Structure formats: C-alpha cells, structure tokens
Amino acid sequence: MSVRRILLGVTGGVAAYKSAELVRLWIKAGHEVTVVMSEAACRFVTPLTFQALSGRPVYTTLWDDRPQNGMAHIDLSRAADVFVIAPATADCLARLAQGRCDDLITTLAAARTCPLVVAPAMNRQMWENPPNLRNVRQLIEDGVTVFGPGTGSQACGETGPGRMLEPEEIAERLEGFFTPKRLAGKRVLLTAGPTFEPIDAVRGITNTSSGKMGYALARACRDAGAQVTLVSGPTGMPAPVEVSRIDVQTAQDMHHAVLSQVVNADIFIGVAAVADYHVVNKSEQKLKKTGKAPVIELAENPDILATVASLPAAPFCVGFAAESHNLLDFAEAKRRRKNVPLLVANLAQQAMGADANEVTLLDDAGIHPLPVMGKDAVAHAIVRHLASLIETSTIPSERTTE
Ligand code: PMT
C-alpha cells in the first residue's frame, strides 16, 4: 500500500470524536495526516488531540502564518493526495456546494488540486431536508465523493440515516478509492478461514487459520473494482464492506456453497485452510467418557479448488499452498496437480494466524518471491499479479450469467 498524504477536515458535529480514531488508523497504516478544524469542531474535540495523534500541527484558521508564505488556505490542500472532510456537517456541505470560502476548510476545498471526499454526519431530518439532499447531489455532480452516511441510532436519540460511517469503514473505503480498478467488471469468488469438522455436538477438528489472508484478499479484489463473494469458515471476523459473505462450517458446506456460486464467477481464489478429512462416525450428542478412548473414523473431503479448476467453464483459478517444509517444490507440484495458473505458496507455521506473511507466487512464467509484508499489502500485490495475468491471458475470464 502506498503512503498517502491525507488532509483531514473536521467540522463541528458530535462525530468529531470518531475522527480522532480515523487519524489513528491512518497513521497506523503508514499514511501522513494533517488536520484542519473548523471553529465549531474545536468545541467538540481539542486540536491538541489531533496534533498528538497525527504528530503534526493542526490548523484552525485562515489567518495561520505557520506555512512559509502564510498561504495555509492554499498550501495545505495542494500538498495533499486527498482532502477528506469527516464529519461534514449540513452547513459545511451547503457552503461547499455553493463554492463559498468563508473559513479555512471551505477555502482549502476551493483551492485544492486533489480529490475531495466528504463523510456527512447529521440528524436524520437534517439529512433528509430537501436543500441538504440537493447540496449532496450538487457535490456529486461536481466530482466530490460522498462516503455514507450510515443508518442507525444518533446522538440526538433518533434513529435513521445521517450517522457518520465508522472510522474503520471510512479508512477501508479510502484505500479502495485509490486502488486502480484493474478487476472492474469481474466477479470474484473466494474461500477463507478454517473449516470445522464436528466430532460430537461440541467438539471438532479444525486449524489455526484466522481468515486474515482471505479477508484481506476479498478487500483487495473489491478495491480493484471486482464484485466479491466470500465463502467463509468460522473466523469471528466482520464481513468486509461491500462484500457478500456466505458463512459455512464444514468442508462439505464450503464445497456446496462454492459450487452454487461458481457459475457467476470469473475468478476463483481458494485461500481457506480446508480440512482434508471429516469424521464419519460423528456423534449428535456430546461424547461421554467411557473409560475407553473413542475411535474416530475419517473420510476424505472433496477438494474444492481441484473441482472448480476441472469444470468445463472454469473461472481463472488461484490456489494457495501452506507447507511446513520443501515449500516451493511441494507448491509447484500442487499447482500442476490441481491445474491452476497461479498459486500462492507460504509457510504454514509462519502464515497461519499472523498479521504479516511472506509469499511466493508461482505461475507458468516461474517463481516470483515477495517480501514479508502485512496481509493487506500481500493481498494487493497478489491482486496486481493476478490482474496482469488476466490482462495477458488467453483464458476467457469474462463469463456470462446463465
Ligand atoms: O487465515 P490466515 O490465518 O490468514 O492464514 C492464511 C493461510 C495460511 C490459511 C493461507 O495463506 C493459506 O495458505 N491457505 C491455504 C491453506 C491450505 O489448506 O493449503 P493446502 O496446501 O492444504 O491446500 C492447497 C489449496 O487447495 C488451497 O488453495 C486450499 O484452499 C485448497 N483446498 C484444499 C483442500 C480441500 N479439500 N479443498 C481445497 O480447496
């Protein structure tokens, strides 16, 4: 993920406290954040909070003489890759729609050369007020991107549309905003997480896959413009925004879910750590101790990736290989056996459950090692490689829905 220079405008709404968390998330992701605040925003949160979180001076007035030439109203947005106003009040949206320049935030918006994103936050009646909706339509027509608002309970005690999106969702949407749309028009089907094969009513066979790698890939494909369906084993992770998720438990459930969706897929990515076996003699009740160890009888599960890759109209298939040793030899043998054009190899003991991963991509052209990176960055690198393969592939990757 590239480092972005983000200019954050905070206007006066209760949601201003959430913007502090937004700054924390962006800084954690490695971005540079400069904050500008309206006078009203300073009544909700102090500039000092944003200064501490961003590690940079906070600007609150047009008359700030800290920028070298005294041109804060121009320089701050010229130095940014994006200007995000969150929360954006109804008053701020109205002034932006009119092109007014009566405070630092609106002046920076008018003088900017970078994209402008607004995350509205207001009471539901203020949101639905026709002049407000007219202002929002005007801003969209002017090329401004609007994130949200969300629907739910509001600080005033009412419920409805107008809540500022949660900081995590704004941060996620901004990553997507910057990603080139190399998978636009493609439908991606992914599996992620572990499977759970019951032994009795409460026990089962599973593994330590957290779902982090698969969910990161789902987000990266979405950010690249794809329509994404994620078939997920039990992970406890929230569904990524704008990704359709099907929850499953066992390998057989996952197999059924994938086969029911694959006709709609241009690309299939098998990230899940699918159990190779299920318990044939599982008990519907919790097993009691009898003084004799129970015998667990296993039978092989279907290989989901191999099944999809062998379909007559197979989508472009990407497999993963988690090996404990002999990584590249075993991974290449797996790629050939399962007949997939792209395989991502990683060491099981390092990759499972971790936040970072070191992967090697294997395709017909050879071996492409990637450095150790956070799983989101690994996922974006895999998507870039996948997009290049599809762009140069003779395999038809566009399918029509029957
Ligand atoms: O979830 P995390 O904690 O982030 O960890 C990520 C990961 C380690 C699980 C991931 O990076 C990974 O390596 N996933 C594949 C794990 C695995 O089961 O590898 P495998 O070598 O056993 O399987 C090879 C391929 O066949 C995989 O694409 C797998 O999804 C698929 N498979 C395997 C068995 C089966 N019955 N059906 C399958 O589709």
Side-chain angles (χ1 to χ4, degrees):
M1 239 172 291
S2 328
V3 174
R4 304 287 175 190
R5 292 165 307 171
I6 301 169
L7 181 64
L8 172 66
V10 183
T11 64
V14 183
Y17 78 93
K18 291 192 196 173
S19 303
E21 173 63 5
L22 186 55
V23 173
R24 199 188 66 77
L25 291 172
W26 279 332
I27 294 291
K28 193 173 158 215
H31 301 309
E32 289 171 12
V33 186
T34 302
V35 180
V36 289
M37 299 175 74
S38 70
E39 207 185 310
C42 298
R43 293 176 182 256
F44 288 94
V45 187
T46 66
L48 196 61
T49 304
F50 287 107
Q51 186 178 319
L53 289 167
S54 67
R56 286 166 185 271
V58 172
Y59 298 85
T60 56
T61 158
L62 268 173
W63 313 112
D64 198 308
D65 57 8
R66 278 173 295 178
Q68 275 172 355
N69 55 1
M71 292 283 175
H73 67 291
I74 292 177
D75 290 350
L76 293 173
S77 57
R78 293 277 168 88
D81 297 315
V82 65
F83 185 15
V84 180
I85 305 180
T89 59
D91 178 61
C92 172
L93 296 178
R95 287 182 297 117
L96 288 171
Q98 287 175 15
R100 284 171 62 180
C101 300
D102 46 9
D103 70 359
L104 180 57
I105 289 180
T106 48
T107 309
L108 283 167
R112 77 187 194 282
T113 48
C114 62
L116 176 62
V117 175
V118 293
M122 65 199 73
N123 163 272
R124 70 180 174 87
Q125 250 145 3
M126 289 169 76
W127 172 254
E128 284 165 352
N129 188 23
N132 179 63
L133 294 177
R134 193 164 62 232
N135 290 333
V136 173
R137 279 196 300 275
Q138 181 63 56
L139 288 170
I140 293 170
E141 205 173 292
D142 293 343
V144 175
T145 301
V146 182
F147 285 176
T151 298
S153 60
Q154 305 194 313
C156 54
E158 295 180 12
T159 303
R163 272 173 71 94
M164 186 171 94
L165 294 181
E166 294 307 313
E168 292 77 10
E169 184 165 350
I170 295 177
E172 237 184 276
R173 287 192 183 212
L174 196 70
E175 288 306 332
F177 180 78
F178 281 117
T179 307
K181 305 294 175 245
R182 292 178 70 186
L183 296 183
K186 299 279 189 270
R187 292 159 301 177
V188 176
L189 177 64
L190 289 114
T191 63
T195 62
F196 181 89
E197 309 297 331
I199 296 172
D200 68 10
V202 290
R203 305 179 181 100
I205 301 172
T206 187
N207 57 65
T208 55
S209 165
S210 60
K212 288 176 193 167
M213 190 67 248
Y215 278 57
L217 256 168
R219 290 191 294 269
C221 290
R222 174 207 63 196
D223 290 350
Q227 188 186 313
V228 180
T229 302
L230 175 62
V231 179
S232 174
T235 65
M237 291 181 71
V241 176
E242 287 169 5
V243 164
S244 134
R245 184 175 71 174
I246 301 171
D247 290 318
V248 295
Q249 195 183 41
T250 66
Q252 280 163 325
D253 295 343
M254 189 173 270
H255 186 241
H256 287 139
V258 165
L259 289 187
S260 73
Q261 297 295 317
V262 74
V263 71
N264 297 321
D266 302 302
I267 298 165
F268 174 70
I269 311 178
V271 196
V274 186
D276 288 325
Y277 300 95
H278 65 273
V279 179
V280 180
N281 57 339
K282 69 176 180 211
S283 164
E284 297 304 326
Q285 277 88 40
K286 185 180 171 210
L287 288 173
K288 303 293 286 175
K289 266 192 193 167
T290 60
K292 208 173 142 217
V295 176
I296 294 170
E297 200 186 318
L298 299 175
E300 209 166 310
N301 278 326
D303 189 313
I304 303 164
L305 177 63
T307 309
V308 171
S310 66
L311 290 172
F316 190 97
C317 285
V318 182
F320 270 67
E323 309 290 348
S324 60
H325 60 292
N326 254 353
L327 178 63
L328 295 184
D329 289 346
F330 286 165
E332 181 57 18
K334 207 165 263 180
R335 187 176 86 87
R336 290 180 186 280
R337 192 168 66 247
K338 301 203 183 196
N339 191 26
V340 294
L342 176 60
L343 190 125
V344 182
N346 52 199
L347 281 169
Q349 61 274 31
Q350 281 177 10
M352 279 214 192
D355 290 333
N357 200 4
E358 182 175 16
V359 305
T360 301
L361 310 183
L362 291 88
D363 60 20
D364 288 343
I367 290 171
H368 315 274
L370 296 177
V372 184
M373 295 184 279
K375 282 182 176 167
D376 277 315
V378 172
H380 278 96
I382 294 170
V383 167
R384 282 196 294 276
H385 194 87
L386 166 65
S388 305
L389 287 183
I390 287 175
E391 280 155 16
T392 55
S393 170
T394 50
I395 300 170
S397 59
E398 289 282 1
R399 312 174 80 203
T400 50
T401 316
E402 271 136 60

